[in-house]
Amino acid sequence: MLIGVLGLQGAVSEHERMLADCGAKTRRVKTPEDLNGLDGIVVPGGESTAIRKLLVRESMLEPLRDLVAQGLPTFGTCAGMVLLAQPESLAGIHADVERNGFGRQRESFESDLQVTGWETPFHGVFIRAPYLKSVSAPAEALITLDDGRIVAATEKNVLTTAFHPELTGDKRFHQYFIDEFVKATTKTA
Amino acid sequence: MVETGTTLVKRGMAEMQKGGVIMDVANVEQAKVAEDAGAVAVMALERVPSDIRAAGGVARMSDPAMVESIMNAVTIPVMAKCRIGHIAEARILEAIGVDYIDESEVLTPADNNYHIDKNDFKIPFVCGCRDLGEALRRVGEGSSMLRTKGEPGTGNIIEAVRHMQKVNEQIRQVTSAKPEHLMAIARDLRAPYELVKQVHDLGKLPVVNFAAGGVSTPADAALMMNLGADGIFVGSEIFKSENPAKFAKAIVTATAHPTDYSLIAEVSKNLGNPMKGIELSTLTDDQKMATRGVE
């Protein structure tokens, strides 16, 4: 199993470490050629505008959007969620995204999150984080805060979180991505 | 429970900037050029270091109205500088909500003995360092991000290279040292023992370390990334060059692809003259910024 981590900018090595801890091989994706032969891809946190501009400049935006549309298992955190929710970027999930939705860095926060079906809460680290105002079918909200803001959501082959599982020592989201998205796809293929 | 201003959130913010370029900007127009070029953040300051050098006198925190105008103009993070040890300037920048504060030797130091206790702030700080001891003292005070000091506003990369090489060489020494030698190493580095121990165990600094001070060309950015910088600060050079938009984009590309030399060659073509630069031996000790402030 080979999982790519989009490596143009942002918290790339943190995702690589988490995926390696889950037993996956990783490849840092910096050129269109690096997209070949992947079983899944992670779009990491970073600055979404900077990552988007680099994707366009390296002629990777369209090939990656096509792969996502064709069913490549994709996990986006923070900036990754923004790019996957923007129709003009990766268009991986039907959702209305609010960039920097919680405010500036001063308002960045940590909070425990309840995930349906998980025994203990997941510790969410939100850094100038986005949120989803709404999702529409076939997208589904996975974690919704008390005030209605959606901070994790899925759609078919796509998993997104507004927070950074890669900054905690908790592997559950990466494991969930591998088990329920990557392995599920590999089996049916 | 919701907690803001935690160590994880402050250091995590710097992690998100990795592989990116942070650009000095002096007005809204420049901030937009930087954002459009793919900068991961801008540093709002009224005068870039080379202008500070030329103007002389006391350099202070920028006008809060100027910083706010930039915060309103771009969606990427906005950083601003306060003087070393100037707690009030830092609190003012925190009050207007900048995303990161640079306690910077580029401005005239306000305190020749103490840096700011940065642990106490909700906003993260970045500080300059020339060696591992200085780096870990700043982290001990609560800095969430480090950068080389370099020699700002000179267009000369030699000091940034020296500082990056020095820190990394000392990290290698600490990492390979016997655990029972760490206390003596901490004494010699004048660094907190706990942080020396952390570097020993992690094999790296506990926070990200960017290159700053003298990065003038895409090749300079690539050089610093290859020497182990997590990202790049560019000061005077972009907006002193002939074609700032093209120049800024070229530095972003070189930082994102620091070993793709044909690509860097491509973006380096016809950039016009970079800033003239200053040979460091022509500066007197008084004119050097890297040695300002404490120690």
Side-chain angles (χ1 to χ4, degrees), chain A residues 1-4 19 22-25 37-42 71-75 156-159 173-189:
Chain A
M1 184 199 314
L2 180 63
I3 313 237
L19 291 164
C22 295
K25 268 196 220 152
L38 296 176
D39 299 307
I41 190 163
V42 171
L72 179 71
T74 306
F75 180 17
K156 294 187 217 164
N157 54 312
V158 175
L159 170 66
F173 261 99
H174 288 81
Q175 196 66 58
Y176 177 65
F177 174 61
I178 289 171
D179 292 345
E180 302 299 322
F181 292 77
V182 181
K183 284 185 182 162
T185 311
T186 322
K187 259 181 226 155
T188 51

Side-chain angles (χ1 to χ4, degrees), chain A residues 147-162:
Chain A
D147 58 12
R149 294 194 256 207
I150 298 163
V151 295
T154 63
E155 176 171 329
K156 294 187 217 164
N157 54 312
V158 175
L159 170 66
T160 62
T161 64

Side-chain angles (χ1 to χ4, degrees), chain A residues 9-10 14 30 57 104 110, chain B residues 6 15-16 18 37 99 256:
Chain A
Q9 191 273 312
E14 287 77 0
K30 302 189 87 154
R57 227 172 278 168
R104 305 193 72 95
E110 296 180 41
Chain B
T6 61
E15 302 281 344
M16 297 309 139
K18 284 193 300 187
D99 296 295

Side-chain angles (χ1 to χ4, degrees), chain B:
Chain B
M1 201 176 84
V2 171
E3 271 192 289
T4 57
T6 61
T7 301
L8 186 54
V9 156
K10 292 197 283 191
R11 290 183 181 179
M13 160 75 194
E15 302 281 344
M16 297 309 139
Q17 303 267 295
K18 284 193 300 187
V21 182
I22 300 167
M23 301 182 189
D24 279 1
V25 296
N27 55 48
V28 165
E29 190 195 355
Q30 291 183 357
K32 286 184 171 162
V33 170
E35 184 175 47
D36 201 47
V40 291
V42 291
M43 176 77 70
L45 77 171
E46 281 161 327
R47 284 180 294 171
V48 296
S50 62
D51 289 338
I52 291 175
R53 274 187 192 285
V58 175
R60 311 180 179 88
M61 174 186 78
S62 297
D63 182 340
M66 175 267 178
V67 178
E68 276 181 342
S69 68
I70 288 172
M71 289 166 61
N72 293 332
V74 295
T75 62
I76 56 177
V78 177
M79 303 185 171
K81 290 183 195 289
C82 74
R83 284 178 266 179
I84 290 174
H86 207 309
I87 300 160
E89 283 188 349
R91 286 293 180 196
I92 291 165
L93 293 174
E94 181 179 50
I96 62 174
V98 299
D99 296 295
Y100 236 93
I101 298 171
D102 184 1
E103 186 182 16
S104 177
E105 68 282 0
V106 166
L107 305 181
T108 312
D111 191 321
N112 65 1
N113 198 23
Y114 299 108
H115 276 71
I116 296 168
D117 174 12
K118 294 166 276 284
N119 287 305
D120 198 32
F121 282 72
K122 292 273 187 200
I123 306 276
F125 279 74
V126 55
C127 285
C129 61
R130 291 163 297 168
D131 56 42
L132 185 59
E134 193 173 22
L136 295 181
R137 288 193 293 279
R138 297 294 86 80
V139 173
E141 292 155 0
S143 192
S144 308
M145 180 182 192
L146 294 164
R147 54 171 175 75
T148 59
K149 285 187 163 174
E151 192 51 52
T154 60
N156 193 333
I157 197 67
I158 186 169
E159 291 301 299
V161 168
R162 190 199 313 278
H163 301 157
M164 187 59 69
Q165 297 276 33
K166 180 80 180 171
V167 168
N168 288 336
E169 182 191 313
Q170 289 175 314
I171 290 173
R172 283 192 293 275
Q173 286 165 357
V174 168
T175 307
S176 59
K178 292 179 177 172
E180 59 268 34
H181 290 173
L182 294 178
M183 186 59 84
I185 290 174
R187 175 200 65 203
D188 294 344
L189 289 174
R190 296 185 294 135
Y193 170 78
E194 291 69 24
L195 293 176
V196 173
K197 176 87 170 49
Q198 237 183 69
V199 170
H200 174 80
D201 296 347
L202 289 171
K204 61 185 190 71
L205 289 166
V207 301
V208 303
N209 188 19
F210 272 45
V215 179
S216 307
T217 63
D220 284 349
L223 169 67
M224 295 312 298
M225 292 301 286
N226 280 291
L227 291 180
D230 290 310
I232 304 287
F233 280 91
V234 187
S236 318
E237 290 76 7
I238 289 173
F239 294 100
K240 293 287 172 197
S241 70
E242 287 176 7
N243 186 342
K246 192 175 170 192
F247 198 90
K249 263 189 207 169
I251 291 210
V252 168
T253 300
T255 303
H257 301 276
T259 55
D260 189 340
Y261 295 107
S262 4
L263 178 64
I264 300 172
E266 209 48 51
V267 298
S268 298
K269 286 177 184 168
N270 304 311
L271 283 181
N273 293 327
M275 65 182 278
K276 180 161 173 276
I278 299 171
E279 161 55 35
L280 287 177
S281 59
T282 64
L283 290 180
T284 64
D285 284 352
D286 285 354
Q287 290 172 314
K288 289 181 181 162
M289 290 174 172
T291 50
R292 281 170 155 186
V294 194
E295 73 247 317

